[in-house]
Structures are given as C-alpha cells and as structure tokens.
C-alpha cells in the first residue's frame, strides 16, 4: 500500500462527475505487480488481489464488485478510507509488531540470540525480562496486565516458548518472537496459505471417523459415544481432502475419487459433561495430566473427531484406528499439534493444521485425572 502511494498509483480519481479519494485502477495495479516482480503473470496478480479482498484489505470503491476484476475499475485499501475492520486478532498482531519494532531499535535490547539444550534461538527473551520491560516502558500498568499481554501474544502465534512447552509466565523461562516482523515478505506468499475455512466446510472433513471396513460398499460405520448416543459418520479418505484443498499428497500415489454418498450430519452434542476453560486447564494444581501421542495416519486418516474451541476436545475415537492405538481417548483436550500450541484455536483451524501437516502426527493432549 505504501509503495503504491509513493508510486502515485493510489490517488484521487474522478469518474462520472464524482471524485473518489485514495483509489487505484485495477488494471494499472496488475501491470505494476508484474513490472515490480510481485507477480509472474496477470492471473497470479488477480489471485493475489482477490486474496486481499477476501481478507477485507481492499474493496471496490462502491462495493459493487465482490471479485477483483482486471479492468478499469476503481478499488481502494480499507486503511485509506477507515473501513478496515480492527478485530481483536488484528489489534493483537499490530500490538506485537509495535513492541517488536520498539525492542529491536533499542540499545541493549532484551532480544538476543540465546542457547538452550545446545540449540540456538533467535529473538529470545526471558518471561520476567519482558514483564519488567513492559511495565518500565509504560506498555502495561502492572505485572498482571503485562502477563495478560504476553499470553495474548503467545496465543496469537507472535511469541512462543522456545520448545513450545509452556504458556507465557512471569518467570525465567525462555521465549522468542516467532514472527520476524522485519523480514520482507513477498505478496506471492499469500497464495501458499491454506484456507482452514475451505477445509472445515468441505463435506469430506478429515475429522469424520475413518472407515472400519475398507469395502467400498460399506461407506459408514456406527460409533458409540460415552453419552450412549449413536451416530453415523461418513467415511472419507485423507487423500480426498488434500486433493480438494489443491495439494498433492506425498502419501497416496493414485488419484482419489469421491464415490461416497452424502455425508450424514454428525450429532453436535458434546461428549464433555461440562464446559472447561483454558484457565482451568492451565491453573496450578489442576486435575489434568499432559500426554504426548504419536499417531501415524493410514490410508483413510487418523481415526478421531475433534470439536469445540478454546480449548478443543476429542469428540470421538475410532476404536480400530491409529489414534486409538496411540492412546487417544474421548474428552481429552488438544494442547499442541506438531509442536504448535493450539489451546486458543477452534477445531476448524486445528483441522487445517493437521491436514496440511505430515502423515505422522504428534499431539499433546490433556486428560482429566480420574
């Protein structure tokens, strides 16, 4: 956006006796993307701009077009007309970027390269150091508020414990900025992101339970939950979902075909006896133990259903599947997926993380002590 302002592509423009401030012509912008090596061709440039529209970053000046059209149409960055939605996620991200810039520009910054267990980590700091700095710089009124800010940064993936084993605490535990805000990113990186919405809304959800009988004629099975209710869940193949997401799977050589009947709707009733919060799970002395499960997916998936959010829980486990063999049980809470802390995420996002990750799945779960 700033480069386009500098290049005078964004300016006040007159059309049909009306002046539209701070806008650009779509066709000119596509030319600019190619000229400045931000896109290899027009098709990619259009896809990039559509991505920005989908994320509410740009829009048509009159909101008459929901698609980005490579034509003489006027579009505008929402930050230039005050319509950019400042959600909680965006506010936390912007706060993290502001703190990072302030830290790296300081002499004797607390951000340093440090070593732990013979591994070097970039952009690290001790939790108590960060608390001291936040209070000293007026970024937080007291240590409690500073801890809450640190926890929000961690839950939004901006900082993390170096080995991803702890939440943020006022202690001498080592953390790092997971995002290097000063690394220049290319627009084409947007196209490498996976759409969790597309995956989660697909009828071939990866978290439908796997098929007990691989016979093509038997496309569903009964799963008895702890609440004694019976539900029918359509079976799907992991390869089918990855093909729908536009990714080729390294684990399946043949092209998958979708030959299953319409999916039966899962019973939405939670298997949990009562809602549980992250604070309850993480509080000192809480009656939960953490377990690490290594699940090697087979040709029809991993064999479990995850539901809920903040935290997510295991809703169902196929008794004959890989997850059950690894020790997964219903009502466990999902703490991390392949080393990433996920207690703050919803099940659609966790579904996407698992689907786009390796076939061997490493999950940390929290289980109630009986």
């Amino acid at each position: 956006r700033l480069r386009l302002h500098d290049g005078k592509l964004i300016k006040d423009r007159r059309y049909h006796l009306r002046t539209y401030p701070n806008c650009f012509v779509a066709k000119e912008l596509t030319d600019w993307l190619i000229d400045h090596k931000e896109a290899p061709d027009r098709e990619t440039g259009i896809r990039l701009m559509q991505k920005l529209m989908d994320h509410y970053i740009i829009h048509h000046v009159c909101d008459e077009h929901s698609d980005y059209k490579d034509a003489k149409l006027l579009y505008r960055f929402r930050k230039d007309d005050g319509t950019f939605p400042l959600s909680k996620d965006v506010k936390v991200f912007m706060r993290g970027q502001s703190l990072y810039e302030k830290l790296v520009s300081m002499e004797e910054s607390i951000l340093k390269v440090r070593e732990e267990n013979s591994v070097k980590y970039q952009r690290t700091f001790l939790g108590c150091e960060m608390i001291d700095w936040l209070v000293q710089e007026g970024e937080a009124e007291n240590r409690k508020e500073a801890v809450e800010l640190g926890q929000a940064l961690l839950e939004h993936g901006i900082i993390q414990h170096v080995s991803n084993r702890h939440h943020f605490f006022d202690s001498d535990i080592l953390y790092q900025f997971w995002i290097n805000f000063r690394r220049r990113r290319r627009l084409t990186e947007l196209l490498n992101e996976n759409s969790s919405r597309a995956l989660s809304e697909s009828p071939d959800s990866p978290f439908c339970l796997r098929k007990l009988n691989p016979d093509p004629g038997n496309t569903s099975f009964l799963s008895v939950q702890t609440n004694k209710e019976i539900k029918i869940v359509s079976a799907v193949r992991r390869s089918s979902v990855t093909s729908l997401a536009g990714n080729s799977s390294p684990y399946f050589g043949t092209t998958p075909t979708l030959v299953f009947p319409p999916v039966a709707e899962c019973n939405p009733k939670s298997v949990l006896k009562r809602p549980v919060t992250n604070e309850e799970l993480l509080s000192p002395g809480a009656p939960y133990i953490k377990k690490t499960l290594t699940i090697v997916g087979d040709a029809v998936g991993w064999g479990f259903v995850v539901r809920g959010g903040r935290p997510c829980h295991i809703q169902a486990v196929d008794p004959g599947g890989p997850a059950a063999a690894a020790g997964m049980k219903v009502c466990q809470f999902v703490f991390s997926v392949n080393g990433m802390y996920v207690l703050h995420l919803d099940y659609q996002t966790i579904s996407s993380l698992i689907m786009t990750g390796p076939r061997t799945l490493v999950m940390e779960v929290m289980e109630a002590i009986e």
Side-chain angles (χ1 to χ4, degrees), residues 97-121:
Q97 183 175 17
S98 171
L99 293 174
Y100 182 83
E101 290 293 342
K102 192 172 179 178
L103 281 164
V104 297
S105 60
M106 292 177 62
E107 293 184 11
E108 302 298 323
S109 172
I110 62 173
L111 295 189
K112 298 175 183 175
V113 178
R114 291 182 172 92
E115 188 173 306
E116 184 172 286
N117 297 327
S118 301
V119 179
K120 284 188 176 181
Y121 297 95

Side-chain angles (χ1 to χ4, degrees), residues 99-239:
L99 293 174
Y100 182 83
E101 290 293 342
K102 192 172 179 178
L103 281 164
V104 297
S105 60
M106 292 177 62
E107 293 184 11
E108 302 298 323
S109 172
I110 62 173
L111 295 189
K112 298 175 183 175
V113 178
R114 291 182 172 92
E115 188 173 306
E116 184 172 286
N117 297 327
S118 301
V119 179
K120 284 188 176 181
Y121 297 95
Q122 305 288 330
R123 306 179 297 279
T124 69
F125 56 90
L126 299 178
C128 55
E129 280 183 336
M130 178 62 82
I131 300 298
D132 292 340
W133 182 82
L134 289 170
V135 175
Q136 178 184 325
E137 294 294 317
E139 296 287 349
E141 290 189 6
N142 50 54
R143 302 189 77 83
K144 180 176 181 293
E145 185 178 303
V147 169
E148 291 172 352
L149 174 56
Q151 290 178 344
L153 294 175
L154 186 143
E155 290 174 1
H156 284 76
I158 296 169
I159 66 173
Q160 68 170 23
H161 176 247
V162 290
S163 55
N164 227 337
R165 295 183 179 276
H166 300 285
H167 209 302
F168 183 80
F169 298 107
D170 184 358
S171 66
D172 59 356
I173 296 175
L174 190 61
Y175 299 89
Q176 69 178 151
F177 268 86
W178 180 241
I179 298 177
N180 178 3
F181 286 101
R182 288 201 168 181
R183 180 179 75 83
R184 184 182 172 191
R185 290 164 173 79
R186 302 197 67 83
L187 272 176
T188 49
E189 292 182 38
L190 285 172
L191 300 181
N192 297 327
E193 293 181 349
N194 293 288
S195 171
S196 59
R197 183 182 303 174
L199 283 170
S200 63
E201 292 178 357
S202 163
D204 296 289
S205 168
F207 292 86
C208 286
L209 293 177
R210 60 193 290 279
K211 194 164 46 176
L212 284 178
N213 186 344
D215 178 5
N218 180 15
T219 57
S220 62
F221 70 94
L222 297 180
S223 172
V224 182
Q225 302 303 315
T226 54
N227 60 8
K228 305 302 180 185
E229 295 186 16
I230 294 178
K231 63 184 178 182
I232 299 178
V233 187
S234 173
V236 299
R237 293 186 178 274
R238 179 176 185 236
S239 52

Side-chain angles (χ1 to χ4, degrees), residues 62-76:
C62 298
D63 291 318
E64 293 176 354
H65 301 279
S66 58
D67 295 334
Y68 181 82
K69 299 182 185 299
D70 186 21
K72 290 184 178 181
L73 294 174
L74 300 181
Y75 292 82
R76 184 188 290 131

